[in-house]
Amino acid sequence: MAIAIVAILIVVIIILVIYNVSIHKKIQTFNNMNQRITNLNVLQDFMNTIGEYSAVEEKIKKINEILIEKYEIKYSTIVVFDGSEYTVKASNVDQKHWEALKALHEVSMFKDSISTATPKYVTVNHESERLPYQKMEFGRAKSAIFFPLYIDNVYIGYWIIESGVPHDFDNVDTSILEIVKDNIVTILKTVVHQQTLESIVKKDLFTGLYSEEYLYGEGKKKIDQYTMSTICMFEITNLRQINEQYSRKLGNEVIIRVADHIKQNISENYIFIRYMGPKFVIAFSGVEIESVAEFLNDVKQQIENLQISLEEDVEIIDIEENAQIKNKKNKKPQVALPRLNFVVASYYKGTGLEEVLKKLEDYLDNADKNESEINNI
C-alpha cells in the first residue's frame, strides 16, 4: 500500500513538474510576445515623432522621453559627436551632470567600447560605491549600460542608460536594448540629414525671403501644426525674356517688386519663400484650396498690372567751352510687365512635403511658357 501511495505521489509530482514547465514556457512566450509588441509600439512612436515634430532637437528629445517611459529607464542620455565636439542632445539627468556625461568617451572602459562597437555594462556592489566615470556625484547612478552609436560604420556618439540600483541591469535582455539602440540610430540618421538641411538655410539676396531648405525644417514645423494646408508654387514665366530683352538688372528688379507685393499682402501665418530662380512658394497653413483661390486671382491680376522699370538715366550729349549744357535728354525707361503661372495642391500632415513640391515644380517646368493660369493638381 505504502509503495502504491509513493508511486502515485511520484506520478503527481512528475505531472506537476511537467505542468509547471509548460506554464513557464507559456509565460516566457507571452513575455517575449509582449516585449515584441512593446518594441513595435515604441518603433511606431518613433515614426510618429518624425512626422509630428519638425525640429531636429525636438525629435531627439521626444525619442528619449519615449525610451524612458516605455522601458521604465531611470536615466537615459543621448550624446552626439558632430566631428568636432560632443553635445548632449537629450537627457533626463540634471544639467549640472552634462559635462561629465558628454566626456564619457575619455573614460578608458568606454574607449574600448567605442573602438570595438560593443556595449559596456558597469555596476557597483554596494550603495557606498560609485561608478568609475562619476567624479562629483555619489547617489544618482549605481549601474549603467553604455552603447556606442554608429551610422554606416561611422561613429556618431553614444547612448547611456543608468539606474540608481546596484546590479539593476544584471538580468536585462541586452538583445532588446540592441534593437532599441538600432532604432535610435535609424532616427538619428534621419534627423542628421534634416539637420544638414537646416544648417544650409539662407536668405535670398534680392527678396530677403528664405530659401527652399527652410520648408523642410522650421517651415514644416509651422505647416504641420494643421492637418491640411495648401501649397502654392508660382513662376515668373517671362523672367528670362526680360533678362535677355532688357537687362538682368531689370530682371532682378522684377523679382524684388513681385516678392515685395506678395509680402505686403500675405498673412504672417503663411510661409513665403523663394524656391529657386523664377519660382516661389506660398504655404497657406491650415487653409483649403477653395479658400485661397480668390486671393491668388487678385494677387495675380495686381502683379500683372505692374509696370516695372529702373530709375531713368540722364545722358549729357555735349558741353560748350563756357561749361554751359548744350543739350541733355533722358533715356526712355525700360518697362517690364511680369507674367505669372500658378499651381496649387493640398498637403496633409505626416505626408511628404518634398513630394508635393516636386509635383508642383514638374507641372510648371512642363507647362507651356505662354500659360498664365491658376491650376489645381
Side-chain angles (χ1 to χ4, degrees), residues 15-285:
I15 292 173
L16 288 175
V17 168
I18 294 172
Y19 177 76
N20 286 336
V21 170
S22 175
I23 291 295
H24 176 74
K25 288 182 178 180
K26 289 181 180 180
I27 292 174
Q28 191 64 41
T29 300
F30 174 80
N31 287 338
N32 291 338
M33 185 178 297
N34 188 54
Q35 188 61 61
R36 283 196 293 270
I37 292 172
T38 298
N39 290 337
L40 287 173
N41 289 338
V42 170
L43 183 57
Q44 183 61 53
D45 288 341
F46 281 2
M47 296 301 105
N48 292 340
T49 296
I50 291 179
E52 292 176 6
Y53 296 85
S54 297
V56 169
E57 302 296 331
E58 288 185 0
K59 287 180 180 180
I60 299 177
K61 289 177 181 177
K62 183 59 181 178
I63 288 167
N64 202 50
E65 291 173 6
I66 292 171
L67 295 174
I68 292 166
E69 177 186 354
K70 298 295 185 180
Y71 293 102
E72 298 181 351
I73 297 171
K74 179 67 175 177
Y75 301 110
S76 176
T77 301
I78 298 173
V79 178
V80 173
F81 178 59
D82 64 5
S84 60
E85 63 179 358
Y86 287 79
T87 305
V88 175
K89 290 296 185 181
S91 180
N92 65 328
V93 176
D94 193 298
Q95 197 163 350
K96 65 184 180 182
H97 302 307
W98 285 14
E99 286 299 318
L101 287 171
K102 68 180 183 180
L104 297 183
H105 60 283
E106 298 175 353
V107 180
S108 58
M109 69 174 68
F110 296 142
K111 284 183 179 179
D112 293 338
S113 177
I114 293 170
S115 63
T116 59
T118 56
K120 179 68 177 180
Y121 176 37
V122 291
T123 187
V124 298
N125 294 316
H126 305 289
E127 289 287 345
S128 59
E129 298 176 337
R130 63 179 178 182
L131 296 174
Y133 63 86
Q134 294 178 315
K135 297 178 180 179
M136 300 180 63
E137 48 181 325
F138 289 88
R140 185 179 65 81
K142 299 299 179 183
S143 52
I145 306 181
F146 177 93
F147 295 91
L149 304 176
Y150 285 80
I151 293 179
D152 300 330
N153 296 321
V154 177
Y155 170 68
I156 55 123
Y158 50 83
W159 170 46
I160 184 169
I161 59 174
E162 300 170 292
S163 169
V165 179
H167 295 278
D168 198 27
F169 299 123
D170 286 4
N171 299 315
V172 168
D173 187 348
T174 55
S175 63
I176 293 173
L177 291 178
E178 282 288 337
I179 294 172
V180 175
K181 183 207 71 175
D182 291 341
N183 288 335
I184 293 174
V185 169
T186 300
I187 301 303
L188 286 177
K189 188 174 183 177
T190 302
V191 299
V192 161
H193 294 316
Q194 181 183 335
Q195 199 165 31
T196 301
L197 280 175
E198 291 179 357
S199 66
I200 61 176
V201 170
K202 56 186 180 296
K203 283 193 174 182
D204 177 55
L205 176 64
F206 299 108
T207 64
L209 299 174
Y210 283 115
S211 61
E212 172 193 356
E213 292 78 15
Y214 178 81
L215 285 173
Y216 305 118
E218 190 64 26
K220 192 169 186 296
K221 176 183 177 182
K222 295 178 180 179
I223 298 170
D224 281 352
Q225 291 177 358
Y226 305 90
T227 303
M228 192 278 293
S229 299
T230 295
I231 307 298
C232 166
M233 183 180 292
F234 70 88
E235 179 179 14
I236 306 174
T237 56
N238 62 338
L239 182 62
R240 177 178 294 181
Q241 179 185 347
I242 293 170
N243 288 338
E244 294 174 351
Q245 183 176 345
Y246 299 111
S247 67
R248 184 169 292 276
K249 186 176 181 181
L250 181 55
N252 291 338
E253 184 66 19
V254 169
I255 291 172
I256 293 169
R257 290 283 301 279
V258 170
D260 284 346
H261 185 87
I262 292 179
K263 282 192 288 186
Q264 292 168 9
N265 289 276
I266 199 171
S267 168
E268 293 182 356
N269 296 327
Y270 304 145
I271 297 169
F272 180 36
I273 63 107
R274 186 175 182 185
Y275 189 70
M276 63 176 65
K279 297 187 183 74
F280 296 78
V281 170
I282 308 172
F284 296 94
S285 307

